[in-house]
Amino acid sequence: MLEARIAARYLVARKGHAAVNVISAIALAGVVVATAAIIIVLSVFNGFSRLAESQLSVVDPPLSVVPAQGKVLAVSLPGAIPVVKEQGLAMVGDKQHPVTLLGVPDQWLNSSGISQTVIDGVASLGDTVAGAAALLAVGPAVDLATHPGDERGLKIYVPRRKGRVNPANPMAAFREQRLEIAGVFQTGNQRHDQQLIILPISNLRQMLDYSDNQASALEIWDTSATRDQIRNQLDSSEGINILTRIEQEQHSFSMIAVEKWVTFLMLTFILLIAMFNVLSTLSLLILEKRGSRHILDAMGMSPQRVRGIFAWEGAMVTAFGGVIGTILGVILSLAQQWGGFIRLSGDPSMMVIDVYPVEVHGVDVLVVLGLVVATSAFTAWLTSLIAKRL
C-alpha cells in the first residue's frame, strides 16, 4: 500500500529539525514504558494471586461440601471430615477479640497442614484429662496478649441459638466455653491469621446446640477426589454445593482480580497520555512535511490518501512502541519470575517469601497487544483529523 510505504519512510527518515527528533524519541519512549509497565504490573498481580492460592492448602481442603442455603447440613459422606464454623468472641482476662471459630475433630489435624504452621506450643485439641484446648492464629494471640499454657485460659462466646433471652441479663444471650491454649499458628493467609481459632468440634456443637450429625461443611482432603465422584457418593446433591479451594476463598480472589484490572485501567490512561504525546509529535511532523504534501497533491494523490499517510504514521509509531514495550515487559517479568532479582525488604525468616512473586500469563499479553492495536487505530484516526485541519 503506497500510503503505508510513504509513512514507513517518514518514520525512519531523519527529521528536518533536531527538536522534532528529540520529541519523537520521548513520545516513543513514553509508549514503550507505559506498555511495559502494564505487562509487569499484571504479572506481579498474577504472582501474588498464585502465592495466595498456595497458602490455601493449610486450612482449606481441596473440596468442601457446603449447604446451598443456610449454615448447617446433615448429610453423611464416607472419608469426609465434618467441621463447624461460626463467628464468636474470644476473651483472655480483660482483652477481647472477634474471631472465626472452626470446630474440627482430631483427624483434621493430621489431614490438614496446620501442624506445620505452629510457631508456639503444639498442634493439639487437648484430651479428657487436661480438658479441651484450642489453637489460636497469631492475630488473636497477639491481640489477646496470650500464649500456650496461659493460666487464664481462653473464653469463647457465641450467640445463643435456642431458648429465651432475659433482657435484664444480656450475657444470657451468649453461650460460654473455657478452653486451654495449646498452640499458636501462622499460615501466611491474612484472613486466617487475623481471626481464626480452631477448637474441638464437640465443644462448638454443644455451644451451638447442634446434633452429632450436623456440620457447617464436609471437607474432603483426598486430592484425587473429584466433584462428580463426591456427587455420586451423596444420597442427594440437591441443596448442597461442592467448592474447590479457589471457590472457598472467592471473596479474596475476587478482590485480587478487581485490584488487578482497576490497576490495568489506570495504566491504560497513562498509555493514552503517552499517545497524546505521540499526537503532538505527529502534528509537528505534519507541519514539517507540508512541502511534501504539495508535491503529492501535484502528483495527483487525493487529500484522503495524503491524510492516510499520516494516519499510518500515527498507527505505526504507537504500534511500534507498544510491541517493543510488550516484549520488554515480558522479558523483565520472566527475569524476575525465574531469577528473583528484586527482593522484599525485611527479615526473610519472618516472611513467607523473600522475592516479589511474578508470573507471566499469555492471556494478559494478548490483552495488552489488543490494547496496543486499539490504541494504534485510535491514534491513526486522530492523526487523520489533525492532518485534515493542518
Side-chain angles (χ1 to χ4, degrees), residues 295-365:
I295 296 175
L296 295 175
D297 292 338
M299 295 174 59
M301 181 173 285
S302 64
Q304 292 80 7
R305 297 187 66 183
V306 173
R307 291 196 298 269
I309 294 174
F310 296 105
W312 273 103
E313 180 81 9
M316 287 180 179
V317 172
T318 307
F320 182 71
V323 171
I324 295 298
T326 301
I327 295 174
L328 179 61
V330 171
I331 291 175
L332 293 176
S333 298
L334 290 177
Q336 175 65 17
Q337 180 177 337
W338 295 336
F341 299 106
I342 302 177
R343 297 186 173 274
L344 296 168
S345 60
D347 185 2
S349 63
M350 301 297 293
M351 298 185 296
V352 179
I353 57 172
D354 58 354
V355 299
Y356 270 101
V358 175
E359 186 172 304
V360 180
H361 288 179
V363 175
D364 293 339
V365 177

Side-chain angles (χ1 to χ4, degrees), residues 79-99:
I81 299 178
V83 299
V84 175
K85 293 182 180 180
E86 186 56 81
Q87 301 297 315
L89 181 70
M91 293 188 63
V92 175
D94 59 349
K95 296 183 180 295
Q96 58 186 18
H97 184 77
V99 294

Side-chain angles (χ1 to χ4, degrees), residues 11-331:
L11 182 64
V12 298
R14 186 173 181 82
K15 311 301 186 292
H17 298 83
V20 179
N21 291 317
V22 174
I23 295 174
S24 300
I26 294 175
L28 182 62
V31 176
V32 171
V33 171
T35 309
I38 294 176
I39 291 289
I40 293 172
V41 170
L42 292 182
S43 299
V44 170
F45 272 103
N46 294 335
F48 277 107
S49 180
R50 178 57 61 89
L51 175 63
E53 182 180 346
S54 66
Q55 297 299 315
L56 299 181
S57 59
V58 176
V59 177
D60 300 283
L63 292 173
S64 179
V65 180
V66 299
Q69 294 181 345
K71 301 172 63 176
V72 182
L73 52 78
V75 297
S76 60
L77 181 63
I81 299 178
V83 299
V84 175
K85 293 182 180 180
E86 186 56 81
Q87 301 297 315
L89 181 70
M91 293 188 63
V92 175
D94 59 349
K95 296 183 180 295
Q96 58 186 18
H97 184 77
V99 294
T100 297
L101 303 173
L102 178 63
V104 301
D106 289 332
Q107 64 265 34
W108 186 90
L109 299 180
N110 298 324
S111 299
S112 68
I114 196 66
S115 59
Q116 302 173 4
T117 67
V118 174
I119 58 177
D120 191 12
V122 295
S124 172
L125 298 179
D127 51 46
T128 56
V129 177
L135 296 174
L136 275 66
V138 64
V142 171
D143 289 344
L144 296 173
T146 187
H147 54 82
D150 192 337
E151 295 181 355
R152 296 173 296 175
L154 173 70
K155 291 184 179 180
I156 300 295
Y157 296 90
V158 297
R160 185 182 297 272
R161 294 183 60 248
K162 297 181 179 180
R164 295 182 178 180
V165 177
N166 183 3
N169 183 16
M171 290 304 298
F174 297 90
R175 298 290 296 270
E176 177 185 343
Q177 185 78 243
R178 186 186 184 280
L179 302 168
E180 300 296 327
I181 302 175
V184 177
F185 64 89
Q186 184 175 12
T187 65
N189 183 304
Q190 184 177 5
R191 187 175 68 87
H192 294 324
D193 290 342
Q194 290 297 322
Q195 59 184 17
L196 186 62
I197 290 182
I198 301 172
L199 67 157
I201 189 173
S202 57
N203 291 74
L204 191 52
R205 276 173 170 165
Q206 179 182 0
M207 296 178 68
L208 298 173
D209 294 312
Y210 285 174
S211 61
D212 292 341
N213 67 333
Q214 289 182 309
S216 301
L218 299 177
E219 298 186 348
I220 297 94
W221 288 89
D222 183 4
T223 55
S224 62
T226 64
R227 278 178 168 175
D228 292 337
Q229 293 175 348
I230 300 303
R231 290 191 183 278
N232 293 334
Q233 293 180 27
L234 293 171
D235 296 334
S236 174
S237 60
E238 296 182 359
I240 65 169
N241 292 326
I242 302 176
L243 307 179
T244 63
R245 280 196 176 111
I246 302 298
E247 292 169 340
Q248 294 169 49
E249 294 283 348
Q250 190 63 42
H251 294 294
S252 299
F253 284 92
S254 296
M255 183 62 65
I256 293 176
V258 169
E259 292 176 350
K260 172 182 176 180
W261 294 112
V262 167
T263 304
F264 170 79
L265 291 177
M266 294 174 62
L267 292 174
T268 299
F269 283 117
I270 296 178
L271 179 60
L272 291 176
I273 294 174
M275 180 200 70
F276 283 109
N277 290 333
V278 172
L279 289 175
S280 63
T281 302
L282 292 173
S283 298
L284 295 176
L285 179 63
I286 293 171
L287 292 174
E288 186 180 83
K289 299 298 182 181
R290 182 171 293 177
S292 300
R293 292 181 60 181
H294 296 319
I295 296 175
L296 295 175
D297 292 338
M299 295 174 59
M301 181 173 285
S302 64
Q304 292 80 7
R305 297 187 66 183
V306 173
R307 291 196 298 269
I309 294 174
F310 296 105
W312 273 103
E313 180 81 9
M316 287 180 179
V317 172
T318 307
F320 182 71
V323 171
I324 295 298
T326 301
I327 295 174
L328 179 61
V330 171
I331 291 175

Side-chain angles (χ1 to χ4, degrees), residues 363-383:
V363 175
D364 293 339
V365 177
L366 293 177
V367 169
V368 173
L369 288 176
L371 176 63
V372 170
V373 171
T375 306
S376 300
F378 187 48
T379 305
W381 177 69
L382 290 178
T383 306

